[in-house]
Amino acid sequence: SHTKPIQSVIAWINPWDDPDRLRQHHNEFDLYWQGASDCARRLGYQLESFNTTEIPLPRLQSIFKARSIQGLLIPPLRESTFELGQIDWSSFAIVRLGQAVAGPKMHFVGSAQLANAMLAFDRARALGYQRIGFVCEYWPKRLFGAGYSWAQRALPETSRLPLLALNSEDSFECQQTVFEAWLQENQPDAIITDNSETREMLENLSYSIPSDVGLATTSVHDTRIDTGIDQSPYEIGRAAVRMLTALIAEKSFGPPERCNETLIEGKWIDGTMLPRVK
């Protein structure tokens, strides 16, 4: 048999204020779960979700110890008020999904954001686009913009466009105004974005996609953009469980002295919004 009998539980800690939104609103995050759950089952574990809105984290710690749960997966926490300091991590092996988690040091598995952005830029160039812009919301742990900036180094300086990093604290209307000014000044023929609202902003300004401007995304799972990067979230979930079960086997508990970072490469998805230039 390729699947071991269930021997224990791996805890998926869901700290979101509305727990259902973690997997319903973000397709990426649901695929994290699916990959982690499938891999756990093959290795003899059951992945079980625990919502901190229903059971406070200090109480969860007692439950984990009573049930001999040693492995914890921490999903992305961007929209949560979760306080990581409420638990003593020294009794558990911990792996987080994605990079944007404050608090104690943890091993993590995530997408190769820098490489994925470079892949998207290179693919847009191969399709014939000359003025390729990048639009994002600024988050300190996101590296898509860094990949775009590095990819542009291959172009003459006169052919490079300034990256547009929108303030995540601004209203949509304010972001729209900044975006419009950037469009008019730089006249891109294609845009790569990690912002799910870029398509809406273009449509609000009566831009036709792709006849006026081509559009690609760093995550085809989480935007209304059919062209761009599949970040391989299912494989990210699988890799997180493989890392976690290895930590459990060697009894490597608590925050590590040095964090291991596993980055999963994405793949390019052709679509209708960034066709080859004729």
Side-chain angles (χ1 to χ4, degrees):
S1 173
H2 295 288
T3 301
K4 296 181 180 180
I6 298 298
Q7 55 182 308
S8 187
V9 167
I10 288 174
W12 167 285
I13 298 181
N14 183 342
W16 282 41
D17 300 330
D18 181 353
D20 292 337
R21 289 187 65 241
L22 174 60
R23 290 173 56 197
Q24 291 179 355
H25 184 65
H26 292 277
N27 292 329
E28 292 269 354
F29 300 167
D30 185 52
L31 287 166
Y32 285 169
W33 167 274
Q34 292 180 36
S37 181
D38 288 349
C39 186
R41 191 179 306 112
R42 290 179 64 86
L43 295 175
Y45 291 86
Q46 176 182 329
L47 185 63
E48 186 174 337
S49 180
F50 295 86
N51 300 335
T52 61
T53 54
E54 299 174 357
I55 307 175
L57 197 54
R59 173 61 181 153
L60 280 179
Q61 179 175 335
S62 300
I63 293 173
F64 296 158
K65 289 186 175 181
R67 295 180 56 185
S68 299
I69 297 175
Q70 297 179 312
L72 310 181
L73 278 183
I74 312 296
L77 307 179
R78 171 178 165 181
E79 298 182 25
S80 172
T81 57
F82 184 49
E83 293 293 337
L84 291 170
Q86 297 179 60
I87 189 172
D88 177 9
W89 299 99
S90 62
S91 300
F92 306 102
I94 319 127
V95 172
R96 57 188 170 98
L97 292 154
Q99 302 180 45
V101 179
K105 294 171 65 177
M106 301 178 191
H107 303 300
F108 78 85
V109 179
S111 65
Q113 295 181 356
L114 191 148
N116 287 346
M118 294 180 71
L119 171 62
F121 183 88
D122 291 344
R123 186 58 184 160
R125 288 282 295 174
L127 289 170
Y129 294 89
Q130 301 298 315
R131 298 183 59 77
I132 305 166
F134 190 89
V135 176
C136 62
E137 282 192 338
Y138 174 71
W139 295 94
K141 297 291 186 178
R142 273 193 180 172
L143 298 178
F144 295 115
Y148 165 78
S149 297
W150 190 251
Q152 280 210 116
R153 299 285 297 180
L155 303 181
E157 192 167 346
T158 55
S159 299
R160 303 173 195 170
L161 300 188
L163 175 150
L164 175 60
L166 299 168
N167 187 339
S168 60
E169 302 298 324
D170 286 346
S171 66
F172 176 81
E173 291 73 18
C174 181
Q175 291 187 353
Q176 177 88 68
T177 299
V178 174
F179 177 67
E180 182 177 12
W182 175 85
L183 274 176
Q184 292 176 351
E185 180 176 353
N186 295 286
Q187 298 294 310
D189 58 5
I191 295 173
I192 302 167
T193 185
D194 69 359
N195 184 359
S196 61
E197 295 178 328
T198 300
R199 177 179 175 179
E200 181 180 351
M201 290 193 288
L202 284 168
E203 292 170 342
N204 288 346
L205 296 171
S206 300
Y207 277 75
S208 176
I209 305 168
S211 56
D212 293 332
V213 61
L215 187 61
T217 178
T218 58
S219 174
V220 293
H221 295 292
D222 274 348
T223 62
R224 295 188 303 119
I225 303 169
D226 68 0
T227 310
I229 300 296
D230 176 346
Q231 295 190 70
S232 306
Y234 182 87
E235 293 303 320
I236 291 173
R238 283 170 47 83
V241 168
R242 288 196 298 269
M243 178 186 285
L244 186 61
T245 54
L247 293 172
I248 294 171
E250 64 183 23
K251 300 189 182 301
S252 181
F253 300 143
E257 183 177 347
R258 288 174 293 276
C259 292
N260 293 336
E261 302 181 1
T262 298
L263 302 180
I264 306 300
E265 65 180 3
K267 60 182 179 180
W268 176 261
I269 303 297
D270 283 314
T272 64
M273 297 186 181
L274 196 74
R276 183 174 295 277
V277 175
K278 297 178 180 179

